């Protein structure tokens, strides 16, 4: 009899419910004080529907007088109902209508299980009664308990946080969302693309941004409703890489909506093709672009790429739906920061005179692309530029190189890297200008009176301020 019972139980709803109750995915979010999630509510409703299916298993066992099995199913249904009620109380507190209905259901189960062997016990009538009660519970769970969406932002470089910040602020202020900012680690690469050095910049974000450690937030366990990223490369970058578990190809497995927002802005609505066909633009459910013109090019280039590769568009989603227009959060940030409300580092203050005759501050922006295009003469151009500004006593230079300048040179041009480090160290030691390698680009834009440097997305941001811009000519 024991072996037969094992076989029966293996295929019964009793075992199915037991497995659900024991599964890690169902027990996600048992921490006290969490809010009801769409994902969580769906799990609870699925479990309640499974209980209803198990009711009919009771009918079969009662008809064959296998009362011990029927009682086991009764018990399993009761345990599942208690688990649903416990989860609801963890999220909503005590006193909900749904939990009251679950308690009534459990009392009925107990009462019926005690009378199951009576000669006048009518199992079909009992099941109808239990099903009506269960449908009332499901209806109450759907309509009386309001779920919240969980949204997580996964920046990796603090200097690029401005590409997400205004979206984060809107989500943070929405009472229907639970929002987390989880900076993720990344590592620089050696010339052979092996990992070189690990970085984590969780402490470099503005103090008003609450940070959750990546060690405490498991994407596979939490299954957030929406994930925002600004790193498009996965394993396609030659300079840095986020950890593989944070590749867009992996993240999309654990969310209903993976959203990629570019870390750059397009000058005059022009975007290079190589920024369009990247892992994140392929895997993300939604890609945010800054204008209709840019969107049209994304769709055109991506559609041609799919055609060339023989990939059906449906595999990555309807392109008309995938690419959405929204003003870049980087522009929102630039317009919000002014000279009057920006925080000035202590060691910068000696350069910044607020009097009527104060010296003008020139932001000097040097970029990776310019170095890649002119690396044989680019360092000479930087040295000459520094000499000119050093001799000009009416201005203060605020030199801000691209955040990945050193890492890129070290990985790809080690000889030029050594020369570049010498230039930087000499400039810093002479103490006549500001060297800005912080994560806050917007502070440099707000403090400066004019822009000089390479053509880049920073020029588009700077243009929004209405201040003068001059693009340097590497050949002069």
């Amino acid at each position: 009899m024991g072996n037969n019972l094992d076989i029966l139980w293996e295929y019964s709803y009793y075992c199915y419910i037991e497995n659900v109750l024991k599964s890690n995915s169902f027990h996600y979010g048992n921490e006290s004080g969490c809010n009801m999630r769409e994902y969580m509510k769906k799990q609870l409703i699925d479990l309640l529907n499974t209980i209803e299916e198990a009711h009919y298993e009771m009918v079969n066992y009662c008809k064959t007088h296998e009362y011990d099995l029927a009682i086991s199913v009764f018990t399993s249904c009761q345990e599942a109902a208690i688990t649903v009620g416990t989860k609801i109380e963890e999220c909503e507190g005590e006193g909900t209508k749904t939990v009251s209905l679950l308690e009534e259901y459990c009392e009925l189960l107990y009462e019926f299980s005690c009378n199951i062997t009576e000669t006048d016990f009518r199992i079909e009538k009992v099941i109808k009664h239990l099903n009506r009660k269960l449908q009332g519970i499901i209806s109450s769970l759907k309509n009386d308990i309001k779920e919240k969406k969980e949204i997580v932002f996964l920046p990796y470089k603090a200097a690029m946080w401005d590409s997400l910040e205004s979206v984060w602020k809107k989500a943070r202020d929405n009472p229907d969302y639970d929002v987390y900012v989880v900076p993720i680690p990344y590592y620089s690469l050696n010339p052979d693309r092996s990992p070189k050095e690990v970085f984590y910049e969780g402490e470099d974000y503005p103090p008003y941004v609450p940070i959750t450690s990546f060690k405490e937030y498991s994407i596979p366990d939490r299954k957030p409703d929406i994930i925002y990223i600004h790193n498009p490369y996965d394993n396609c970058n030659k300079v840095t890489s986020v950890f593989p578990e944070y590749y867009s190809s992996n993240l999309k497995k654990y969310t209903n909506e993976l959203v990629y927002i570019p870390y750059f802005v397009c000058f005059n609505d022009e975007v290079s093709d190589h920024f369009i066909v990247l892992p994140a633009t392929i895997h993300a459910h939604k890609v945010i672009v800054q204008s209709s013109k840019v969107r049209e090019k994304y769709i055109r280039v991506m559609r041609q790429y799919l055609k060339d590769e023989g990939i059906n568009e449906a595999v990555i989603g309807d392109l008309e739906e995938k690419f959405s227009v929204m003003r870049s959060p980087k522009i929102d940030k630039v317009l919000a920061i002014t000279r009057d409300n920006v925080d000035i580092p202590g060691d910068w203050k000696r350069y910044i005179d607020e009097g009527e005759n104060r010296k003008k501050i020139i932001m000097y922006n040097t970029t990776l692309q310019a170095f890649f295009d002119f690396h044989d003469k680019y360092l000479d151009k930087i040295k000459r530029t520094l000499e000119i500004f050093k001799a000009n006593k009416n201005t203060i230079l605020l030199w801000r190189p691209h955040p990945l300048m050193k890492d890129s040179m070290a990985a790809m041009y080690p000889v030029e890297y050594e020369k570049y480090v010498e230039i930087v160290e000499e400039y810093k030691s002479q103490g006549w200008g500001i060297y800005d390698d912080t994560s806050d680009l917007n502070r440099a834009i707000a403090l400066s009176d004019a822009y000089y440097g390479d053509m880049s997305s920073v020029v588009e941001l700077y243009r929004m301020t209405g201040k003068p811009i001059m693009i340097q000519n590497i050949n002069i």
Side-chain angles (χ1 to χ4, degrees), residues 344-351 433-435:
I344 303 175
D347 57 343
W348 290 18
K349 292 181 179 178
R350 64 190 177 97
Y351 300 102
I434 300 170
Y435 182 75

Side-chain angles (χ1 to χ4, degrees), residues 260-278:
Y260 163 58
I261 302 181
Y263 63 87
F264 58 88
V265 293
C266 306
F267 183 74
N268 285 336
D269 284 339
E270 296 293 336
V271 57
S272 299
D273 290 6
H274 71 271
F275 282 124
I276 295 176
V277 181
L278 289 170

Side-chain angles (χ1 to χ4, degrees), residues 14 45 143 193 257 312-313 328 375 381 449 455 467:
Y14 165 81
I45 291 173
N143 301 318
R193 302 192 67 178
E257 190 171 344
N312 190 314
E313 182 176 318
S328 171
H375 63 272
K381 178 64 177 182
D449 299 285
M455 176 62 72
K467 293 184 286 192

Side-chain angles (χ1 to χ4, degrees), residues 191-202:
D192 63 357
R193 302 192 67 178
S194 61
K196 180 181 179 183
E197 185 178 0
V198 175
F199 299 90
Y200 173 70
E201 301 183 0

